[in-house]
Amino acid sequence: MKTVKSAVLRPKTNRFSIEQLQMEAPRAGEVLVKVVASGICHTDMVLRDAGIAPRPIVLGHEGSGIVEQVGEGVEGFGVGDRVAISFASCGSCPSCEKHAPGYCEQFFPLNFFGARADGSCSLSKNGETIHSHVFGQSSFSTHAVCSAGNLVRVDDSVPLELVGPFGCGFQTGAGAVLNSLKVAAGASVMVLGAGAVGLAAVMAAAYIAEAGTVIAVDLQPGRLELARTVGASDTIIGSDEDLADQVAGICPRGVDYIIDTTGYLPLVESCLPLMASQGVLGLVASYPPGANLSVDVLHLFSGGRRIQGVMEGDSDIHTFIPALLEYHKQGRFPVDKLVKYYDFIDINSAIDDSESGDTIKAIVRMP
Ligand code: CXF
Ligand code: ZN
């Protein structure tokens, strides 16, 4: 057992308390990572609020750090390796075999249930079980026992503290553009929501796919200003009553690709008529069970338009995260402009600032 410090979410509160816990050594197939930093993602708040995750629990799923101990049978990682910690997948179902781990048959149990697949947890406090293994990591902690399959080795050319969100938010936005929709050079793209996922999509569309038009839509003018500095050619306030007219003024034939990162379906529905012939709508956000979209089927059908679900940016983490880090080094994925760092002890302020929209991507640094 190792003594670690983690941000624990206990029953009947939405605040995290930093507590000293005991952590098991990594089991077969696992790796112990000394966490350097962890991004905060909207899904952490969904897990906090939706009542699906057991408590007490340690959340966090955009970790990065240094390998401290390697469990039995793990190949390809050694002590001292720098790693990004991404989402968990089983590695053996048909989707995993097709390098599409976002559609792993075990995605929800492995990432959302707060335990290993066998129900066990790596964390405890004087005999009390603390739920762990959120997204195969629970990275709001000085240390994380991870499944080896969700680790990606990274070199030292990008600050390790920036790397965590490449494992979730950044790859989700960029992957929607590059992997899922395969945005063509010169095409038009409209991104709904200028948070971390949306702005990663804006950057990827503008600087990597080389789209001709990139429209960012958000409720907050400050975020739209930021969107312009990371590649948006046009911006629209999402509550504007003449949103459709503004889009028609920019793209008279409609928009080739629409990417929803808001999860706000009335906005998505109002944008459906704005899709160009053979356009694609990518659904990238978190949608609650039972959410419905009302679609004009004739409009969809007659224009060859498509609606596509996108999980984790259709990322094969082992190839896509290194590719994004390389784009970052080239200045084509300037995600550092989205980040504000906080000390781990200030995790509640980091979460407050993320929820108010004051901070686009909060990253907590471990002591
Ligand atoms: C989530 C995104 C919304 C659907 C479930 C998985 N990934 C990470 O935050
Ligand atoms: Zn996430």
Side-chain angles (χ1 to χ4, degrees), residues 237-256:
I237 298 279
S239 54
D240 280 358
E241 286 191 355
D242 65 343
L243 181 140
D245 293 340
Q246 293 187 55
V247 174
I250 302 162
C251 299
R253 289 202 159 79
V255 183
D256 296 318

Side-chain angles (χ1 to χ4, degrees), residues 211-256:
T213 302
V214 182
I215 308 170
V217 179
D218 199 278
L219 293 174
Q220 296 188 26
R223 288 181 173 226
L224 293 178
E225 228 168 87
L226 181 59
R228 283 192 180 269
T229 71
V230 297
S233 55
D234 301 86
T235 56
I236 303 176
I237 298 279
S239 54
D240 280 358
E241 286 191 355
D242 65 343
L243 181 140
D245 293 340
Q246 293 187 55
V247 174
I250 302 162
C251 299
R253 289 202 159 79
V255 183
D256 296 318

Side-chain angles (χ1 to χ4, degrees), residues 237-308:
I237 298 279
S239 54
D240 280 358
E241 286 191 355
D242 65 343
L243 181 140
D245 293 340
Q246 293 187 55
V247 174
I250 302 162
C251 299
R253 289 202 159 79
V255 183
D256 296 318
Y257 305 97
I258 300 178
I259 295 173
D260 175 51
T261 73
T262 69
Y264 183 59
L265 295 178
L267 175 67
V268 177
E269 284 179 353
S270 72
C271 291
L272 282 171
L274 310 177
M275 283 165 80
S277 176
Q278 292 189 284
V280 190
L281 162 67
L283 296 175
V284 174
S286 159
Y287 304 93
N292 275 293
L293 200 56
S294 169
V295 184
D296 177 341
V297 175
L298 178 59
H299 177 254
L300 200 72
F301 158 75
S302 60
R305 297 175 177 89
R306 286 180 290 144
I307 299 176
Q308 184 172 339

Side-chain angles (χ1 to χ4, degrees), residues 41 43 61-62 135 168-169:
C41 170
T43 302
H61 64 276
E62 291 187 339
F135 279 74
C168 187

Side-chain angles (χ1 to χ4, degrees), residues 86-89 95-96 98-104 107 149 152 165-180 310-324:
S86 193
F87 61 92
S89 56
S95 297
C96 286
K98 280 191 288 193
H99 300 278
Y103 308 107
C104 171
F107 186 91
V152 177
F166 281 76
C168 187
F170 297 162
Q171 73 176 347
T172 296
V177 169
L178 302 171
N179 302 325
S180 317
V310 177
M311 281 286 277
E312 301 289 346
D314 281 310
S315 172
D316 174 355
I317 62 171
H318 302 289
T319 52
F320 193 54
I321 291 175
L324 287 179

Side-chain angles (χ1 to χ4, degrees), residues 202-211 227-232 331-334 337:
V202 165
M203 292 175 202
Y207 303 140
I208 305 173
E210 298 180 345
R228 283 192 180 269
T229 71
V230 297
R332 297 164 75 190
F333 196 52
K337 291 189 180 171

Side-chain angles (χ1 to χ4, degrees), residues 37-45 61-63 140 161-173 194-200 203 223 226 334-342 349-351 353-355 357-365:
S38 176
I40 292 171
C41 170
H42 175 68
T43 302
D44 292 310
M45 275 67 264
H61 64 276
E62 291 187 339
F140 292 162
E161 59 191 18
L162 179 65
V163 161
F166 281 76
C168 187
F170 297 162
Q171 73 176 347
T172 296
V197 175
L199 292 176
M203 292 175 202
R223 288 181 173 226
L226 181 59
V335 286
D336 48 301
K337 291 189 180 171
L338 312 182
V339 165
K340 182 171 171 188
Y341 292 103
Y342 296 78
S349 311
I351 288 170
D353 291 355
S354 306
E355 292 196 288
D358 289 348
T359 298
I360 302 282
K361 174 55 70 181
I363 297 182
V364 290
R365 286 194 277 221

